[in-house]
């Protein structure tokens, strides 16, 4: 993953679509009145706002590794405490009833993810909830094609180690979290986002999955990469009756209740 900061403005070009999974995840959280909530990888605060709307009387905090994301979150929700933190080293200052995460754990290395989750769950009280969702889209054309372009151009050597790991399977997640949990609920939803055109798909992934591929490139290589990627997208995603395109976007959801 690039060390460059994330762009809140780029991310929020598709705010409604990116917030939809946060709402769907929260709908499966069984807690009625958690005292303390932490939004892990809160981004620009769109998921935190969903939490605040459901739990107006809870103490809510948000953390993210991106200064730009946190800057925007503080402007959007000035009454909520936000901080710049590294998820791998983050430790809550006191007990947390609900850890909530909207699309961040996929950025950790595969061997780190479950240990981080289990470590945070270990700080929770009995009945506490750990809820997260991650994109499950590495085999979608949008992501297969970015890997193919990365491997086939003059930038292939530069990008040879770029890309995120596949996420653990539902069985792996269940087996790892069940010893800590009274119940582990796992489900998968495939969204179909109607976007204006193929360029909109590029704009979507430029805010997240495409960044590790284009950030290391020189400006002229970046432009060539994006042009080739767009050309392949145009072949992979047929236009709809109104000229728009559907971006298939599967996501994996997990809600674990602490023993």
């Amino acid at each position: 993953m690039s060390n460059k900061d994330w762009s809140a403005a780029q991310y929020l070009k598709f705010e409604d679509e990116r917030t939809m999974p946060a709402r769907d995840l929260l709908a499966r959280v069984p807690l009625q009145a958690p005292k303390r909530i932490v939004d892990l990888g809160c981004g620009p605060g769109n998921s935190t706002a969903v939490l605040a709307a459901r739990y107006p009387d809870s103490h809510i905090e948000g953390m993210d590794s991106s200064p730009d994301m946190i800057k925007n979150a503080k402007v959007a929700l000035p009454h909520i405490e936000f901080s710049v933190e590294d998820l791998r080293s983050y430790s809550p200052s006191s007990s947390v009833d609900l850890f909530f995460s909207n699309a961040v754990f996929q950025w950790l290395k595969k061997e780190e993810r479950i240990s981080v989750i289990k470590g945070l769950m270990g700080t929770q009280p009995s009945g506490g909830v750990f809820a997260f969702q991650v994109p499950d889209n590495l085999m979608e054309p949008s992501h297969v094609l970015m890997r193919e372009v990365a491997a086939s151009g003059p930038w292939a050597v530069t990008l040879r180690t770029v890309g995120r790991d596949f996420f653990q399977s539902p069985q792996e997640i269940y087996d790892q979290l069940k010893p800590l949990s009274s119940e582990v609920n796992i489900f998968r939803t495939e969204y179909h986002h109607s976007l204006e055109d193929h360029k909109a798909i590029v704009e979507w992934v430029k805010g997240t999955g495409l960044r590790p591929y284009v950030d290391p490139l020189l400006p002229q290589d970046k432009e060539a990469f994006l042009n080739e990627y767009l050309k392949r997208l145009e072949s992979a995603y047929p236009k709809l009756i109104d000229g728009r395109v559907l971006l298939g976007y599967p996501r994996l959801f997990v809600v674990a209740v602490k023993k």
Side-chain angles (χ1 to χ4, degrees), residues 144 211 259:
V144 171
R211 285 196 56 231
K259 276 186 180 177

Side-chain angles (χ1 to χ4, degrees), residues 93-106:
S93 58
S94 59
S95 184
V96 176
D97 299 296
L98 171 60
F99 280 116
F100 188 87
S101 178
N102 186 50
V104 68
F105 279 96
Q106 74 274 15

